[in-house]
Amino acid sequence: AAGVIQSPRHLIKEKRETATLKCYPIPRHDTVYWYQQGPGQDPQFLISFYEKMQSDKGSIPDRFSAQQFSDYHSELNMSSLELGDSALYFCASSQRDGYYEQYFGPGTRLTVT
Amino acid sequence: SQKIEQNSEALNIQEGKTATLTCNYTNYSPAYLQWYRQDPGRGPVFLLLIRENEKEKRKERLKVTFDTTLKQSLFHITASQPADSATYLCALLGRSGGSYIPTFGRGTSLIVHP
């Protein structure tokens, strides 16, 4: 079965650089979520999109932005990167009427040096 | 503020035994509670969802209980296997604040010894 695809899987950036993470949800899933997970931490919700419109906003810094495109893939844009942004970034997708069952991607490991 | 507590200490058990993990929460009245499995460096995998009006739910070797009075969920894995070794996260959804975005606990690491 198709799963959530994320790219790149690993990314190394320097402070103050920008990064773009991509997410391709499971076909026919209408909702995409972005999470940030630091080492030993719980996944922190950043932002979500339903049918290409932002639906919920969590602890996403102002330096970050995201959008969902017409083909339902989503991108998380991160600017002015800081050392503290180093983390695993997960994308998840679900169907709105799918009893809130989220399917997570493999994640992008971002390292800021 | 809302708080989800899962035992930060790893749970070590012998293969074949039943593993029981605990999720406690405060300042929250969730409509749903979920359990996920997470392996190192990988995304969480959804296991079970239980509703506030359900006391117990089973799926194969997994059993979840939900006590809204105690504000606690127990997650059981029967006949545990080394392949069950992973971190297990509980997540709460809905009711408080109205959001159905999962709020995750930090998870408990389970280690099943052969």
Side-chain angles (χ1 to χ4, degrees):
Chain A
V4 176
I5 297 171
Q6 289 188 248
S7 67
R9 294 294 310 277
H10 301 272
L11 191 58
I12 300 174
K13 290 285 185 178
E14 294 187 355
K15 281 196 312 182
R16 293 179 288 277
E17 285 193 319
T18 61
T20 297
L21 310 184
K22 296 186 179 183
C23 169
Y24 298 85
I26 292 172
R28 291 183 294 282
H29 279 195
D30 50 27
T31 308
V32 167
Y33 313 78
W34 285 98
Y35 292 86
Q36 176 192 60
Q37 188 175 29
Q41 303 293 313
D42 52 295
Q44 289 288 318
F45 170 68
L46 295 178
I47 195 167
S48 65
F49 293 86
Y50 169 64
E51 285 290 343
K52 293 158 279 187
M53 299 288 289
Q54 181 183 309
S55 60
D56 282 281
K57 197 169 182 181
S59 52
I60 184 169
D62 292 339
R63 300 177 288 108
F64 295 5
S65 64
Q67 56 182 324
Q68 187 177 28
F69 295 85
S70 58
D71 64 352
Y72 289 91
H73 95 272
S74 178
E75 294 183 4
L76 178 66
N77 299 293
M78 311 159 73
S79 62
S80 303
L81 287 169
E82 302 172 357
L83 295 177
D85 295 329
S86 296
L88 267 169
Y89 290 83
F90 292 107
C91 169
S93 72
S94 72
Q95 291 178 310
R96 178 55 70 97
D97 59 352
Y99 295 99
Y100 314 108
E101 183 175 329
Q102 296 191 358
Y103 292 83
F104 282 76
T108 294
R109 182 174 294 281
L110 172 67
T111 303
V112 181
T113 61
Chain B
S1 61
Q2 298 168 355
K3 194 172 179 184
I4 302 171
E5 292 181 351
Q6 293 187 258
N7 198 335
S8 58
E9 285 186 22
L11 176 63
N12 286 271
I13 65 168
Q14 210 60 35
E15 182 176 9
K17 300 292 185 184
T18 296
T20 299
L21 306 176
T22 305
C23 174
N24 295 298
Y25 59 91
T26 54
N27 299 323
Y28 208 126
S29 297
Y32 303 93
L33 188 145
Q34 296 175 323
W35 283 89
Y36 289 78
R37 169 186 173 137
Q38 187 172 25
D39 292 283
R42 306 190 71 168
V45 175
F46 172 82
L47 296 175
L48 281 168
L49 175 145
I50 188 166
R51 294 175 175 78
E52 60 178 338
N53 60 352
E54 296 177 316
K55 295 293 183 187
E56 181 179 300
K57 200 137 193 200
R58 293 173 185 260
K59 180 181 176 183
E60 297 171 353
R61 295 185 296 114
L62 309 180
K63 184 178 87 171
V64 171
T65 63
F66 193 12
D67 189 324
T68 54
T69 301
L70 288 179
K71 294 187 181 294
Q72 180 182 78
S73 174
L74 299 178
F75 177 77
H76 306 272
I77 305 175
T78 58
S80 59
Q81 305 164 0
D84 295 327
S85 299
T87 296
Y88 291 86
L89 308 168
C90 76
L92 309 181
L93 300 85
R95 200 67 74 221
S96 301
S99 172
Y100 285 85
I101 303 295
T103 300
F104 287 90
R106 291 195 176 183
T108 298
S109 175
L110 171 66
I111 302 169
V112 181
H113 299 276

